[in-house]
Amino acid sequence: MSDKFEKMKQIRDEVIAIDGGLAEYRKKNNNHAVLGEGSHDSKIMFIGEAPGKNEALTGRPFCGAAGKILDSLLESIGVPRKEVYITNIVKDRPPENRDPLPSEIELYAPFLDRQIDVIQPKVIATLGRFSMDYIMRRLGLSLEIETISRAHGKSYDGTASYGTVKVVPLYHPAAAIYNQSLKETLKKDFQILRTA
Ligand code: URA
């Protein structure tokens, strides 16, 4: 078994064993924790917010309506979904899909940090403002944080434990479900991932 696979399995086991909070809600509802999926050797990592209903039922990230949009965006740049790595900051579904609390981000983010260290992506595409805020702070870009309406589609040089990472903030695909113009913006912003 590869070292990366072993490390990812260890992270999964630790998340599954969490007690209380969102993990308790997961266990009560027979839901799954959603760790992430895709290639452990990917150059690009997509980071969303937290699992929704479909994700918690299946254990797979971005497999509902927002996932369909993400799939079509990946297709638009000719990147097969299985070749990238897709995950979230928070690994358990917040009730009624409410925003994650700061304490929940604090609890789950160290697992995300470890996933980043395993995969060592060259590019991190953040989906939505929670992910943008967390990743920019984590990778030494606090001073460059702007609103997502200004930052989307730009590229920032962040610093990870293993070297430089390009951070590309993107709108969350869920925001584009009923908003065609935002979907067009996302499609345009995705182009940067071809060259980032
Ligand atoms: N929204 C997210 O942020 N992540 C998912 O996995 C699904 C919807």
Side-chain angles (χ1 to χ4, degrees):
M1 221 179 288
S2 80
D3 190 38
K4 286 187 176 187
F5 186 89
E6 268 303 315
K7 285 182 178 156
M8 290 300 231
K9 185 177 177 311
Q10 176 66 29
I11 296 169
R12 171 181 298 274
D13 290 347
E14 288 178 37
V15 168
I16 288 171
I18 293 173
D19 284 323
L22 297 181
E24 218 47 53
Y25 177 72
R26 177 222 310 153
K27 290 171 198 171
K28 242 190 231 141
N29 290 285
N30 273 326
N31 277 341
H32 293 275
V34 179
L35 271 293
E37 76 177 9
S39 166
H40 292 171
D41 299 315
S42 179
K43 284 201 181 70
I44 308 182
M45 191 163 172
F46 288 89
I47 303 176
E49 183 178 313
K53 186 174 179 191
N54 290 294
E55 289 76 21
L57 284 172
T58 59
R60 296 185 53 224
F62 284 94
C63 65
K68 280 213 175 75
I69 293 185
L70 180 58
D71 290 350
S72 76
L73 291 163
L74 285 168
E75 206 179 317
S76 76
I77 54 166
V79 173
R81 177 170 164 136
K82 64 175 176 2
E83 285 181 12
V84 299
Y85 195 82
I86 303 173
T87 187
N88 290 298
I89 313 181
V90 170
K91 313 298 188 191
D92 282 309
R93 180 191 177 208
E96 311 307 326
N97 299 346
R98 64 158 168 74
D99 288 346
L101 304 172
S103 59
E104 290 162 351
I105 292 178
E106 202 180 312
L107 174 68
Y108 288 93
F111 298 106
L112 172 65
D113 294 344
R114 283 162 61 190
Q115 289 178 309
I116 294 171
D117 283 346
V118 171
I119 294 174
Q120 305 201 347
K122 299 247 178 306
V123 180
I124 293 181
T126 59
L127 302 170
R129 67 192 162 94
F130 286 98
S131 166
M132 175 187 80
D133 277 356
Y134 177 72
I135 289 297
M136 288 189 72
R137 267 183 237 291
R138 190 76 183 97
L139 301 187
L141 294 166
S142 300
L143 296 177
E144 305 206 44
I145 295 178
E146 301 180 274
T147 58
I148 192 149
S149 57
R150 283 181 184 273
H152 73 89
K154 294 186 186 170
S155 171
Y156 300 83
D157 285 336
T159 309
S161 61
Y162 55 89
T164 303
V165 190
K166 290 229 178 292
V167 178
V168 178
L170 298 168
Y171 281 116
H172 195 291
I177 294 174
Y178 300 110
N179 185 333
Q180 189 57 32
S181 90
L182 213 114
K183 195 167 170 191
E184 290 306 320
T185 303
L186 260 168
K187 201 169 162 189
K188 201 162 141 251
D189 289 348
F190 253 66
Q191 292 296 320
I192 197 178
L193 299 178
R194 303 169 77 132
T195 52

